[in-house]
Amino acid sequence: FQARCTDPALDSMFNVTKIPTATRGFLAGIPENLTAVVVSPSEVNVTWLARRLRLRRMVRLVRDEVPGFTSRAWRVQQGCDDTAVRNITTCMLEGLDPGVPISVMVQETCVDPRANSPVLQSPIFQWTQPGRWRIYVGTNTQSIRTSVNILDQAARCTYVKECCSDEFTVCLDSVPTVPNRAVVTRADVLFGWGQQIWLNCTAPELAHELPSQTAVQPAGLSMVSLDSTSARAAFLLLDSVGDCECA
């Protein structure tokens, strides 16, 4: 610092203060496009897209005995423990037990841990054979709709509920960061749900094995006028939406 005057000859001496500072590089971007393809009853191939080129990549695995309530500790899975060395964004989870719900966590890690990316975690999923798997949706009390990464391409996903007369629709789509997504919407009322929901998904190659069911005619159709040019329609889907899961 220096006090300066109109006459430069009267400027003060410099007062230099040295303050130690710690800097880090850019924060690593959160991984995107996480997929998990069941290759065999004991193998799942996991891939993701790295936002920036970093020195290390890491995949971890958790087993959930009671989805949404109890989880085991995260651990690096055999077959994915050398992704940091190989600098790749794919790995094969091996030696898994079919039927046990698991969740995968991916994080871009750096030499300076302060620059590590946020964690990208998959939904809890479960399988017994290739081409058929379950995705845990859980509860959603905040709105009538939620979306979930279904991890692989599906011909159809149907919902499984715990009880009651709650009705839902399941629409499959994709967004730039989630190539395989399901949007679950409450269909009978205009609020969310408190029970645990799962999705049973079937791969396109097994679509011919899916049962064909005709949808039940919607009931309780009502129209409410909003203004001179628009109106809101409401209806119930009753107990079956048939093959048209997305209504």
Side-chain angles (χ1 to χ4, degrees):
F1 297 94
Q2 181 189 41
R4 293 187 175 181
C5 305
T6 304
D7 184 351
L10 300 178
D11 289 352
S12 72
M13 299 291 291
F14 280 97
N15 182 359
V16 179
T17 301
K18 296 183 178 180
I19 303 176
T21 59
T23 61
R24 62 166 174 80
F26 288 109
L27 186 69
I30 186 170
E32 299 176 345
N33 293 12
L34 178 64
T35 65
V37 178
V38 179
V39 178
S40 73
S42 61
E43 296 175 311
V44 175
N45 188 38
V46 178
T47 63
W48 66 95
L49 177 65
R51 291 286 299 276
R52 296 191 182 99
L53 183 61
R54 290 286 162 174
L55 296 180
R56 299 184 59 195
R57 289 165 176 80
M58 182 166 54
V59 175
R60 292 178 176 176
L61 176 72
V62 66
R63 299 180 187 272
D64 287 73
E65 289 77 19
V66 183
F69 295 95
T70 304
S71 300
R72 294 184 181 176
W74 289 105
R75 64 184 177 88
V76 176
Q77 177 67 11
Q78 181 180 0
C80 298
D81 50 0
D82 63 343
T83 55
V85 177
R86 291 183 292 159
N87 199 33
I88 60 174
T89 57
T90 182
C91 74
M92 184 75 74
L93 302 177
E94 301 172 336
L96 303 177
D97 297 321
V100 177
I102 68 170
S103 179
V104 174
M105 181 179 73
V106 179
Q107 183 183 31
E108 299 291 322
T109 61
C110 309
V111 174
D112 184 348
R114 295 174 301 167
N116 289 353
S117 78
V119 169
L120 175 64
Q121 184 176 346
S122 76
I124 298 168
F125 64 104
Q126 181 183 26
W127 73 96
T128 55
Q129 61 180 334
R132 298 185 187 276
W133 68 100
R134 303 181 74 204
I135 296 289
Y136 178 70
V137 179
T139 64
N140 180 42
T141 59
Q142 302 301 314
S143 67
I144 68 169
R145 182 177 294 109
T146 190
S147 63
V148 60
N149 184 353
I150 59 173
L151 299 175
D152 194 9
Q153 185 179 7
R156 188 192 305 174
C157 291
T158 59
Y159 67 88
V160 179
K161 59 185 181 180
E162 291 179 311
C163 68
C164 317
S165 60
D166 300 5
E167 296 299 330
F168 304 88
T169 66
V170 182
C171 299
L172 305 182
D173 68 0
S174 64
V175 294
T177 58
V178 184
N180 302 294
R181 188 179 74 157
V183 179
V184 182
T185 305
R186 183 76 183 264
D188 54 337
V189 292
L190 295 177
F191 49 81
W193 58 94
Q195 62 172 306
Q196 309 293 327
I197 299 296
W198 285 82
L199 295 180
N200 284 345
C201 297
T202 303
E205 57 268 24
L206 298 180
H208 63 280
E209 299 180 4
L210 294 172
S212 178
Q213 183 178 4
T214 302
V216 175
Q217 180 181 0
L221 178 63
S222 63
M223 301 287 291
V224 178
S225 176
L226 300 179
D227 52 44
S228 60
T229 60
S230 61
R232 178 184 292 116
F235 58 91
L236 297 177
L237 295 178
L238 298 182
D239 293 331
S240 173
V241 292
D243 289 338
C244 182
E245 295 290 344
C246 179

